[in-house]
Every structure is written in structure tokens, then in C-alpha cells.
Amino acid sequence: MAKNLAISVAFLISVSLAVQFGADAAGIAIYWGQNGNEGTLEETCATGNFEFVNLAFLPTFGNGQTPMINLAGHCDPYTNGCTGLSSDIKSCQAKGVKVILSIGGGAGSYYLTSKEDARQVATYLWNNFLGGSSSSRPLGDAVLDGIDFDIEGGTNLHWDDLARYLSAYSKQGKKVYLTAAPQCPFPDAWVGGALKTGLFDNVWVQFYNNPPCQYSSGDLSNLENAWKQWISDIPATKIFLGLPAAPAAAGSGFIPVADLTSKVLPAIKGSPKYGGVMLWSKYYDDQTKYSSSIKSSV
């Protein structure tokens, strides 16, 4: 009896540890939304490859503009055509995938003119995509898990204010995850200041299109040096290695699967802040099956 009890206790401890570490386990984040030929959001989550899906993008907001989502060939927001994504979002969340709205992007019309402008944008995001309410929710009644700052233009002002206002909404029940996609040169020109607030959960650093801090055929030093700076200087919960999912997905920075799994990941996985890998994007991942090839190594 005592022996059985000891075995049961040991088993329970091992299960609780597995749950504990499982919740903390590294994973893959993917951007979805900028190519109508990349499958549905529901299909993306059903692959089982991703812990986070960033919906790309809300490229128009701030400075009094009417915010407008752009999901390329997937749906037409001008005719309320994206509200049908609500069931896909809920399906993803039911599988444990966090679905996050990415604001900004490489081409867009966005900047914040003041602290008050940041507050208004936060209110809009809360009411239209998060836990608030609005008669014009672009993605229907699904409640997204958070907001991703993919700020690559405009100005570097007031993103810290926006992060603070959004973070405050976590007090109203469901946590609002904050993530960001800075470039690997440190500090990031756009959201470097905002990241210092310590309010960001996941920071997927773009280790591509930036030769001074990315991997190049066997040479790990640039990437490793940049990685060390990010994990030591940014007070985020987890830092992710952001990569193109195919050579065509970026101007430079693609890492062949064999190099990633045998050289790059072993060099960075030891960090307590290592969160996994972010990929741009689902469309390119479909071409190469990159996420499937690296999943067991992440």
C-alpha cells in the first residue's frame, strides 16, 4: 500500500512538472493573413504546428484615421466580409492556439500623434477586437488574445503609451497578451522604447533582412551576439527567433533546416528567455513545410 502510494505521489509530481513545463514549452508563432492562397485560419491552427497565430495586419490607424484591417485575399472588410473569421478564431483558441492581431506591418498608414491618440487607439482595439463591445467588430464576436506591435514605419513615439493602455485592460478579466516584432539591430528604431516598459509577453525578433545581425552560411557570431543583447536588455517574458519560412519570404536571412536544428537552435535554446521560433509567413511555410521540419527541434 505504502509502495503504491509512493508511486502515485511520484506520478502526480511528474504529471504536475510536465504540465508546468508544458505551459512554458517553446513553440512556433506564424503570421497569417497576407496571402489568400495560404489556407484558412482554421486550417492553419489544425496543423498543430503553431502556438501563436498573428493576424496580419491592421495597417491603418492613429492620427484620427478610421482604423481598417487588411487580410489581403481572405476577406473584404469594407463589406463586413471578415466577420466570418470569428468561428475560425474560436476553433483555434479551442485548440490552445493564441490568436493575436498584428498592427502595423511593412506597408501601412499608421502613427500616434499623442498620448491621447494612443489611448483612443487602445480603446478602439479593446472594443473591436478584444474583450470590449462594439457594433462594428471587424472579425465578429470572437475575442482575440492580444495585440502584436509590428511597427516598421511612421514614428517611434507613444508606442509605450499604447502598450500601457492595452495592458491595463488585462485587469478587466481576460489577459491581453502584448507581443512585438522588432528588427534584430538593437535597439529597435520603432518600438525600442516601448519594449523597455517590460509589458511585452513575447518578442519575436526579425533576424532577417538585417545582415549585420543574422546568420549567414555557417557563421553564427552575428546572430548569437544580437540574441545575447536581446535576452539581456529587454524585460520580456520570452524572446523568439524570427525567421523567413522560405528563401523567397525575405531579402536575406533564410536558414536551412539542417543549419537551424544543428547549429543555431542549440546555441540559443539554453536561455531561460528562449520562447521558440516565429515564421513569416503561413503562405511561405506552405511551400517549404518549414514549421513541420523544425517543430521537434524548437
Side-chain angles (χ1 to χ4, degrees), residues 77-197:
Y78 291 94
T79 59
N80 272 341
C82 300
T83 54
L85 283 172
S86 202
S87 59
D88 285 37
I89 293 164
K90 291 172 186 174
S91 162
C92 290
Q93 292 169 329
K95 292 178 175 68
V97 180
K98 300 255 182 301
V99 185
I100 294 170
L101 175 67
S102 186
I103 64 172
S109 165
Y110 55 85
Y111 61 100
L112 300 172
T113 55
S114 63
K115 192 170 180 177
E116 174 59 18
D117 193 16
R119 190 188 65 77
Q120 288 178 6
V121 170
T123 302
Y124 171 83
L125 292 170
W126 169 254
N127 286 331
N128 286 277
F129 295 100
L130 300 168
S133 58
S134 158
S135 58
S136 60
R137 289 175 69 94
L139 303 177
D141 64 356
V143 176
L144 296 182
D145 294 290
I147 302 294
D148 175 55
F149 289 47
D150 184 15
I151 307 304
E152 302 184 42
T155 80
N156 62 2
L157 303 175
H158 304 296
W159 300 114
D160 54 340
D161 294 321
L162 181 60
R164 287 187 194 98
Y165 286 124
L166 286 169
S167 182
Y169 282 115
S170 287
K171 299 186 181 86
Q172 300 196 23
K174 182 175 172 175
K175 175 177 167 60
V176 176
Y177 281 83
L178 293 185
T179 67
Q183 311 287 314
C184 60
F186 189 92
D188 181 71
W190 308 108
V191 291
L195 292 174
K196 289 287 191 185
T197 61

Side-chain angles (χ1 to χ4, degrees), residues 205-288:
V205 184
Q206 297 183 41
F207 282 88
Y208 52 94
N209 294 335
N210 289 291
C213 49
Q214 69 195 30
Y215 176 84
S216 66
S217 55
D219 183 4
L220 199 59
S221 54
N222 288 352
L223 183 147
E224 204 171 359
N225 290 338
W227 174 265
K228 283 175 181 163
Q229 185 153 33
W230 279 98
I231 60 171
S232 59
D233 289 3
I234 290 301
T237 311
K238 295 290 179 189
I239 307 285
F240 284 62
L241 179 72
L243 298 174
S252 62
F254 176 76
I255 302 179
V257 169
D259 287 16
L260 183 73
T261 55
S262 70
K263 296 177 184 155
V264 181
L265 290 179
I268 66 173
K269 278 175 75 170
S271 157
K273 277 194 182 170
Y274 169 77
V277 172
M278 172 275 276
L279 296 177
W280 175 269
S281 64
K282 174 61 166 49
Y283 172 75
Y284 293 103
D285 191 54
D286 284 349
Q287 320 299 311
T288 60

Side-chain angles (χ1 to χ4, degrees), residues 44-68:
T44 299
C45 295
T47 62
N49 286 353
F50 311 114
E51 269 64 44
F52 300 91
V53 177
N54 295 313
L55 306 183
F57 291 104
L58 181 84
T60 305
F61 64 89
N63 190 31
Q65 302 175 90
T66 301
M68 186 54 71

